[in-house]
Amino acid sequence: MSLETKLRTRIDGKQTKSKTLKLIKWLQKKHLLKEKLKCTLCHHKMKMVSVTKKDQYIWCCKRAGHRRVSKTIRAGSLFEKSKSSLFSWMKYIYRFSQGLRLRQIDMISDDIAGSSTTLTKMARCIREVCIRAMDRHRRKSRQCLGGRKEFVVIDESCFRHQRKYARGRFGNTWRRKKWVFGMMGVKDKRRRLVLKLVEK
């Protein structure tokens, strides 16, 4: 099962408590939420406790004297300062990554957010994450595209075997397809190319 299919199964349908817990566990596995948290007073591990608040779970200290010491389940994550639900965030991230119906009026009608201001803040936050990820990739791979008087062309292509004029191989090879993501920096007569094979 692909990543996008797993995400769709967790965010589609009615938002129940068990579904919220599954989404939280999945986000922790993907390192989008903290898996462990320590108490600010005793520095012991906190445990996840069920509550009736928005996210239905919070971090609470195990010690009896520190029961009032609690933190939101979003502590130290991308969603910490947001009032939107985790389901709304994941729906927006799914559409942002797939490029599906990104018009604000469509997302407001689909109950992803209540106003255009919220959607603008979510978009700005996701773009900042993408910029930081590209910076890390540039430092790691020592590849840098763009800059002064240079523009970048971005595109993707699907490569698969296809018979033409009833000639060539015939069989199940046409099912094998590979997506390739590419970026090319253009500056005067210089061309720099970066290609990345997209795995499922």
Side-chain angles (χ1 to χ4, degrees), residues 5-167:
T5 308
K6 290 179 181 178
L7 179 57
R8 286 294 301 272
T9 56
R10 282 164 176 79
I11 61 177
D12 285 347
K14 192 177 179 181
Q15 300 177 15
T16 60
K17 195 161 191 174
S18 60
K19 205 164 188 178
T20 304
L21 181 60
K22 287 180 181 178
L23 179 62
I24 289 172
K25 293 288 186 183
W26 188 78
L27 290 173
Q28 288 176 337
K29 188 178 178 182
K30 298 297 179 183
H31 306 292
L32 292 173
L33 290 176
K34 294 279 186 181
E35 289 184 283
K36 298 176 183 178
L37 211 62
K38 289 185 178 181
C39 177
T40 54
L41 297 177
C42 61
H43 302 289
H44 281 73
K45 288 182 181 179
M46 304 177 81
K47 66 177 179 180
M48 207 163 58
V49 179
S50 174
V51 292
T52 56
K53 293 183 180 180
K54 177 176 58 179
D55 292 327
Q56 299 184 356
Y57 288 91
I58 61 170
W59 291 108
C60 187
C61 186
K62 293 181 180 179
R63 289 197 170 186
H66 299 163
R67 292 295 184 190
R68 294 182 180 179
V69 179
S70 62
K71 287 188 177 182
T72 174
I73 197 71
R74 310 177 182 208
S77 71
L78 169 70
F79 322 107
E80 186 174 9
K81 297 180 181 179
S82 175
K83 294 181 181 179
S84 301
S85 68
L86 293 174
F87 286 92
S88 298
W89 264 104
M90 298 316 296
K91 286 177 182 178
Y92 181 82
I93 290 173
Y94 174 77
R95 291 198 181 189
F96 185 89
S97 61
Q98 298 293 317
L100 303 172
R101 296 185 71 188
L102 286 174
R103 292 192 309 169
Q104 290 188 348
I105 189 171
D106 292 332
M107 288 189 280
I108 291 172
S109 64
D110 292 340
D111 294 329
I112 292 178
S115 66
S116 59
T117 306
T118 304
L119 290 169
T120 303
K121 289 179 180 178
M122 293 169 82
R124 188 186 303 122
C125 188
I126 296 298
R127 287 193 186 102
E128 288 176 359
V129 171
C130 293
I131 290 169
R132 290 197 297 268
M134 290 299 294
D135 288 339
R136 286 197 302 269
H137 176 72
R138 177 177 55 82
R139 289 193 299 267
K140 185 178 179 180
S141 60
R142 296 182 180 178
Q143 292 178 339
C144 179
L145 292 179
R148 193 175 182 86
K149 296 183 179 180
E150 180 178 8
F151 67 92
V152 180
V153 182
I154 302 174
D155 200 4
E156 73 279 348
S157 297
C158 179
F159 293 89
R160 64 195 302 176
H161 173 69
Q162 185 176 1
R163 298 174 74 239
K164 290 185 177 181
Y165 311 112
R167 300 187 181 201

